[in-house]
Amino acid sequence: MNKYVAFIRAINVAGHATVKMSNLRAKFQRAGGSEVRTLIQSGNVLFEAPAKDAAGIVRRVGDKLRGALDNEPEIMLRSVREIEALVKSAPFKDFDATRGIKLYVVFLSRKPRIQPALPLISSREALEAVRMNNREVFIVSRPKKNGFFGFPNNFIEEQLGVSATTRNWSTVTKIANLARSQADG
C-alpha cells in the first residue's frame, strides 16, 4: 500500500461548498481508500491505496462530491513521498515567516505547458512566486496596502493556465508530520 494526499480545491471556503470531514473520510473509504485521515477543514485527505488504484479512488470521490457540491471538484493528488520531498527541499529557507509574510504552496493539477521566468510578481496582490517544481509553485505573500494578505490561487491559475489549489506552508508541513506519525504508529 502506498500513501497519498488528496488536496481538494475550494471546499469549506467562506461558507461555500461545505463538506463535513467525516463525510469526506467516508467517501474515500467507500471509494477504496484505507487509513483515511483528514487535516483541517480545507479538504486535505491522507489515505492509503495500491498505486494502481489511487487515481481511480480520487475520480470516484470526485464523482460523489460533484453531486453534493453541484459542481466538478478539483482534486490534486500527490504521494506522501512527494510531500515529504517538498518539505525536505526547504523551499522557503531564505524567508522568515515570522517577519510579516505568509508562505504558500500552490498545487497544480498538471505541469504547465510553459515554464515561466521567476519570480512571478503580482504587485496588486503583494505576491511573489519564488520557486517552481514540476507541479508546485512556492509563493511569498506580503501585506497589501489594506493590511490583508494576497491569496495566490487565482494569480497562479491566470499566469500558468492550470487549475490549482493552495495551502499554507504550515499546513503542508503538518501533513508531512501526520503522515510520518502514521508510519511510526
Side-chain angles (χ1 to χ4, degrees), residues 2 20 39 52 63 77 100 109 130 133 147 155 170 174:
N2 294 318
K20 290 183 179 181
L39 180 71
K52 62 181 176 53
D63 290 344
L77 180 66
S109 61
V130 296
N133 282 2
F155 169 63
S170 65
K174 286 177 187 174

Side-chain angles (χ1 to χ4, degrees), residues 102-117:
K102 292 187 178 188
L103 307 173
Y104 294 102
V105 180
V106 181
F107 293 95
L108 307 176
S109 61
R110 63 173 171 75
K111 188 174 180 177
R113 288 185 174 82
I114 31 176
Q115 182 77 21

Side-chain angles (χ1 to χ4, degrees), residues 65-160:
L65 284 174
R66 183 182 320 114
L69 301 176
D70 294 328
N71 64 19
E72 185 69 35
E74 299 243 23
I75 304 174
M76 309 334 162
L77 180 66
R78 301 295 189 272
S79 71
V80 166
R81 285 186 179 162
E82 288 175 301
I83 299 304
E84 289 171 339
L86 284 180
V87 171
K88 188 176 182 181
S89 74
F92 298 112
K93 65 180 176 257
D94 296 332
F95 298 92
D96 182 359
T98 62
R99 294 281 187 196
I101 61 174
K102 292 187 178 188
L103 307 173
Y104 294 102
V105 180
V106 181
F107 293 95
L108 307 176
S109 61
R110 63 173 171 75
K111 188 174 180 177
R113 288 185 174 82
I114 31 176
Q115 182 77 21
L118 296 177
L120 282 176
I121 296 173
S122 170
S123 299
R124 184 173 57 93
E125 289 298 314
L127 300 169
E128 182 179 4
V130 296
R131 184 172 165 192
M132 184 173 164
N133 282 2
N134 185 24
R135 295 178 298 152
E136 291 81 31
V137 182
F138 303 93
I139 305 286
V140 175
S141 178
R142 293 177 174 85
K144 299 186 290 185
K145 289 180 183 179
N146 64 7
F148 292 103
F149 285 85
F151 191 70
N153 211 76
N154 291 342
F155 169 63
I156 292 300
E157 286 183 337
E158 289 169 8
Q159 292 294 309
L160 301 182

